[in-house]
Amino acid sequence: MPRIELIERGPLSPSASYLAFRAPYRHEAGQYVALSAKVDGEVQRRYYSIASPPRADGRIEFCIRHGGGFGRHLSQLAPGQTVDSSRPAGNMRLLDAARGAVYFAAGTGVSPIRAILFAHLDRNPEADATLLLGARSASDLLFHDEFRALADRHPGLRVLPTVSGSEPSWPGLRGRVTAHMAEALRGRTGLDAYFCGPPRMVADLRERLARAGIPDSRQCFERY
Ligand SMILES: Cc1cc2nc3c(=O)[nH]c(=O)nc-3n(C[C@H](O)[C@H](O)[C@H](O)COP(=O)(O)OP(=O)(O)OC[C@H]3O[C@@H](n4cnc5c(N)ncnc54)[C@H](O)[C@@H]3O)c2cc1C
């Protein structure tokens, strides 16, 4: 089983960390791996999407929620420590860099979305892309500053953050990402849709996107 070595880590939000490893394998943007480690005395295995596009130096990045035992274990690793990893797998991938796209990311579901969005803009810097980024609170909007900086460099990218908790000082969109689908699509049907989040969000989006004229074949998703 391949081993990946932690090279950098840092906070992303009050409940999630950013971790970068050096990996001995290549992946496609959107894929995930199964990581294994001894946690609380027994070997455990959890799936994590790689949050970065493929890089020549083998660096892979993750966005990890601290939530339970495995998430806490990962977020406490020190640089130089290793974790067992499966080879990358999964069906999420960039469908067509030439086409416009809408991206929906909720919580740590941002991981494969970030990887694919970066790959998309790398291959087509002028791409028409809209990202709906959702979280409970503004401080939980993962990679928000980075996505804003990306939009400054790519005029075709529109970033729409939305907050679902009650936060009186938040000046932007409110509610879940699904509530703003019409604003993301603006009546267009010739787009690809990428989304990742909890099963209910995924089921809801699949149905709503199909009704809005984006067929299954143009939808690419993962549920956590
Ligand atoms: C394809 C795929 C990709 C995934 N990608 C990611 C990713 O990129 N990032 C990511 O973070 N996760 C990802 N997941 C989820 C991940 O695999 C784990 O399920 C998640 O990290 C929870 O594992 P855990 O051991 O930390 O929590 P578990 O111990 O399994 O607990 C599950 C959940 O219960 C709650 N919980 C458990 N203990 C406590 C506690 N003490 N206090 C409060 N709440 C608690 C937490 O909400 C926790 O998330 C992915 C899952 C799949 C299937």
Side-chain angles (χ1 to χ4, degrees):
M1 187 178 271
R3 289 203 142 181
I4 58 174
E5 180 190 336
L6 186 73
I7 50 179
E8 193 186 335
R9 77 153 207 230
L12 268 182
S13 77
S15 58
S17 292
Y18 165 88
L19 283 86
F21 292 84
R22 189 171 297 108
Y25 46 67
R26 286 275 296 174
H27 74 283
E28 293 296 323
Q31 287 189 304
Y32 60 78
V33 287
L35 301 183
S36 316
K38 208 169 193 179
V39 178
D40 300 330
E42 62 180 77
V43 176
Q44 297 189 22
R45 193 166 192 258
R46 296 282 189 280
Y47 294 98
Y48 293 98
S49 297
I50 298 174
S52 52
R55 300 222 168 89
D57 63 359
R59 180 188 175 100
I60 58 170
E61 297 164 355
F62 294 94
C63 162
I64 307 286
R65 187 168 176 265
H66 307 151
F70 208 94
R72 259 198 315 278
H73 172 80
L74 289 177
S75 59
Q76 287 167 3
L77 286 177
Q81 288 187 290
T82 60
V83 180
D84 288 333
S85 167
S86 68
R87 295 200 169 272
N91 297 322
M92 264 197 107
R93 66 185 201 290
L94 178 61
L95 296 174
D96 185 345
R99 286 169 62 94
V102 278
Y103 292 86
F104 299 86
T108 53
V110 72
S111 298
I113 297 298
R114 178 178 183 256
I116 295 174
L117 179 58
F118 269 87
H120 192 176
L121 295 175
D122 192 40
R123 285 192 214 162
N124 179 5
E126 312 298 324
D128 168 8
T130 300
L131 168 66
L132 258 164
L133 183 67
R136 285 221 182 98
S137 68
S139 62
D140 288 317
L141 286 167
L142 302 171
F143 300 109
H144 186 199
D145 290 346
E146 184 190 62
F147 288 131
R148 277 202 303 223
L150 193 66
D152 288 342
R153 301 198 300 277
H154 295 274
L157 173 63
R158 201 160 53 113
V159 179
L160 303 175
T162 180
V163 160
S164 61
S166 64
E167 194 164 324
S169 59
W170 171 249
L173 297 176
R174 288 179 181 278
R176 299 207 166 119
V177 292
T178 40
H180 305 294
M181 196 191 81
E183 172 55 25
L185 293 180
R186 289 187 170 162
R188 297 166 299 168
T189 53
L191 301 172
D192 292 338
Y194 302 90
F195 42 108
C196 183
R200 267 183 65 183
M201 168 194 140
V202 168
D204 200 12
L205 273 175
R206 288 188 69 188
E207 198 187 306
R208 288 185 192 215
L209 285 164
R211 263 191 277 141
I214 301 194
D216 262 5
S217 59
R218 307 306 324 175
Q219 298 182 18
C220 187
F221 57 86
E222 193 80 77
R223 13 179 129 68
Y224 286 3

